[in-house]
Structure formats: C-alpha cells, structure tokens
Amino acid sequence: MAPPTLTDAPLDIRRESPDQPAVRALLQALDAYLGELYEPQHNHILGLDALQAPDICFLVARRQGRVLGCGAFRRRPGEAATGGEAYGEIKRMMVDPAARGQGIGAALLAALEQRLVAEGYGRALLETGAAQQAAVALYRRAGYRDRPAFAGYPDNGLSLFLEKRLSR
C-alpha cells in the first residue's frame, strides 16, 4: 500500500488574516501573474490593507498546515447595476500552481458562496480578465454567467463580468 500523500489529507478552509508570510507570498504570485497579463491600470487588485478591512471576508485553504489557496469576498451595497440589491464581490482567488487540479479553487469558491448565503446575500458577482482562461472556466463550471459591468469597473474589453444567484 502506498504511503499517504498531501492530496490525501483533508482540505481545511477557514477565515484567516492575509497578513501572514505564506499567504502574502501567494498574493504576490497572483499579482505577478496578473502583471504579466495586463497593464497596471487594468488590474483591479485589493492590496493587503484593503483585504483586512471589515467589509472583507478572506479565506485560506490548507492541507496539513500548508497554504494552497486563498479567496475573498467584499460586501457591497446595492447599486444601479444590481437593481439596488446588495451582493458579495469575489476577489483575490488564487491556488498555488503546484496544487492545481485538486479541486481547491472550486472548494474555495463554494466556501465563499456558503458564507455569503449565511450572511443573507443572494448574489455573487466578480470581475476577472478574459485572458485568465483557467479562472474563467472555474467560474463558468460553478454556474457564473455573463452580466454587464458593475461597481464602477470600466467595460474595457479585457474584463469579464460574471454573476451567480445563490440559493438562500
């Protein structure tokens, strides 16, 4: 019988501070990746200070203590683009490239959605780049559909705007 591997251990997803070395390294890797794809003015990145604000829920995925991924949502008030309905905006989704293909991104996204529902939100929205094909595929598999721009994001042809209705 083969010895157990890291992928055999349960995935632990919980709310944590983004201000810890392994998480900061993951966020820096995300920033570098986005910097390769888009000019700075087209990256809508929440920095470390913003990720610690009260309107943010930041989750970390670990196996046996190792940081494998992260994601967040920002609580947003209703606006004209949402017909006045408050929503959660998915932000800062990242899975360590060495851990991809294990369902970590899907599990993080589901955990964020569950927390949104628990807080009474019926809608999750996100902005992502069209060049981020793996991320777009993840969101579409999870039931996200195209929608118009929201939250003041420019509709610049580089961004995709997606939404999912959440079951309360």
Side-chain angles (χ1 to χ4, degrees), residues 19 23 27 29 54-55 57 72 76 80 86 98 109-111 118-120 146 149 152 159-160 162 164:
D19 190 17
V23 177
L27 292 170
D55 64 338
C57 175
R76 304 284 272 185
L109 187 58
E119 290 188 21
D146 293 323
S159 292
L160 293 177
L162 304 173
K164 180 178 180 179

Side-chain angles (χ1 to χ4, degrees), residues 57-68:
C57 175
F58 189 85
L59 301 182
V60 175
R62 295 176 181 268
R63 270 205 181 107
Q64 295 181 330
R66 180 174 164 222
V67 173
L68 299 176

Side-chain angles (χ1 to χ4, degrees), residues 34 37-45 127 129 154 156 158-159:
L34 294 174
L37 296 176
Y38 312 104
E39 296 296 321
Q41 69 272 19
H42 299 299
N43 277 319
H44 309 288
I45 295 171
E127 177 274 338
N156 57 14
L158 299 173
S159 292

Side-chain angles (χ1 to χ4, degrees), residues 19-103:
D19 190 17
Q20 42 188 319
V23 177
R24 283 196 318 262
L26 193 62
L27 292 170
Q28 289 166 351
L30 175 57
D31 294 350
Y33 171 66
L34 294 174
E36 293 171 6
L37 296 176
Y38 312 104
E39 296 296 321
Q41 69 272 19
H42 299 299
N43 277 319
H44 309 288
I45 295 171
L46 291 181
L48 192 57
D49 288 341
L51 289 173
Q52 297 177 84
D55 64 338
I56 299 289
C57 175
F58 189 85
L59 301 182
V60 175
R62 295 176 181 268
R63 270 205 181 107
Q64 295 181 330
R66 180 174 164 222
V67 173
L68 299 176
C70 63
F73 68 78
R74 178 172 25 185
R75 297 166 187 91
R76 304 284 272 185
E79 59 187 64
T82 62
E85 182 183 352
Y87 61 95
E89 180 185 4
I90 305 297
K91 301 291 288 179
R92 302 301 267 163
M93 290 283 296
M94 177 65 171
V95 173
D96 181 335
R100 292 187 181 154
Q102 301 175 29

Side-chain angles (χ1 to χ4, degrees), residues 130-154:
Q132 294 163 251
Q133 296 175 354
V136 172
L138 167 70
Y139 298 133
R140 293 206 188 282
R141 280 192 310 272
Y144 284 77
R145 302 291 173 246
D146 293 323
R147 61 150 295 122
F150 65 96
Y153 288 113

